[in-house]
Amino acid sequence: MVCYNLYIFNREGTCLFYQEWSRPKSVKQGAGTTSDDQKMMFGLFFSLKTFAAAMDPKISDDKPQLGAPLKIGQACTFKSFRTNNYKLHFMESPSGVKIVFNTDQSVGNLADCLAYIYSNLYVEYVLKNPLYDPGQPFSYELFSNNLNRYIRSIGL
C-alpha cells in the first residue's frame, strides 16, 4: 500500500498544509505549479461533494441545487472515490477543515485514519499551538513528524 500525498484545506479553499510521500507524477507534469495543483484538488472534491449532495436520493425540501454552496454537514457527501490509478479519501470536520489523502487504489476505507489525523494531530499540534494563526498555512515540524510516524504505523 502506498500513500501519495495529503492536503489540508480550510473552509475557504486555502491549502493549509501539503505533504507528499510518493507521488508518481510530478506537479510540473500535471497542474504546473503547486498552487494550481492545490486549486485543482479543492475544485475536484468541492464539485464531487456538491454533486453527491444534489444526487442525494432522500426527498428533502432543503435539497441544494447543483453547484449551490452547502452548509457543513448538509446533505450527503462522499468519503472516497477510486480511479484506475489512485484512491482519494476525503473528510470534512465540523469546523469546515477538509482533509484529502491520496493513496493507491488497493487501500481500504480510511475514514477512521482521517478522523485520527484531524483530532489527534491537527487539533493537538496545530490548533492548540499558541503561535498558529487560524486559517493560515502552517509548517510545524512536530505535526509533520507525528503525521509521518502515524502513516508508517498504519502500514502506508
Side-chain angles (χ1 to χ4, degrees):
M1 296 188 294
V2 178
C3 59
Y4 298 131
N5 52 23
L6 179 130
Y7 301 80
I8 300 177
F9 293 95
N10 68 10
R11 69 175 67 189
E12 288 83 28
T14 301
C15 186
L16 304 177
F17 179 81
Y18 174 75
Q19 173 113 9
E20 191 171 295
W21 289 278
S22 177
R23 186 176 182 149
K25 183 177 179 181
S26 74
V27 172
K28 290 184 180 186
Q29 293 174 309
T33 67
T34 304
S35 176
D36 289 343
D37 178 66
Q38 293 166 354
K39 290 175 189 174
M40 286 176 51
M41 182 57 66
F42 185 83
L44 171 66
F45 73 76
F46 179 84
S47 299
L48 286 171
K49 181 181 159 200
T50 304
F51 180 74
M55 299 305 294
D56 188 350
K58 293 182 181 177
I59 298 172
S60 173
D61 293 334
D62 65 341
K63 192 171 182 179
Q65 295 290 333
L66 188 59
L70 299 171
K71 294 178 183 164
I72 297 165
Q74 179 186 18
C76 75
T77 186
F78 76 99
K79 306 263 188 257
S80 67
F81 75 86
R82 182 187 332 244
T83 71
N84 60 332
N85 294 320
Y86 69 95
K87 186 172 182 182
L88 181 144
H89 308 267
F90 174 76
M91 186 207 91
E92 183 173 17
S93 76
S95 64
V97 171
K98 297 156 187 69
I99 300 177
V100 178
F101 192 21
N102 292 310
T103 65
D104 71 2
Q105 67 273 26
S106 66
V107 175
N109 183 357
L110 292 181
D112 291 341
C113 297
L114 295 178
Y116 180 90
I117 290 169
Y118 175 76
S119 61
N120 293 51
L121 301 178
Y122 177 72
V123 170
E124 291 299 318
Y125 299 113
V126 178
L127 289 183
K128 291 184 179 179
N129 185 334
L131 301 176
Y132 178 60
D133 184 12
Q136 297 302 310
F138 63 90
S139 176
Y140 296 135
E141 188 175 339
L142 193 57
F143 174 81
S144 296
N145 290 344
N146 281 289
L147 176 64
N148 288 328
R149 188 175 303 119
Y150 177 68
I151 296 301
R152 282 192 307 276
S153 76
I154 61 172
L156 293 176

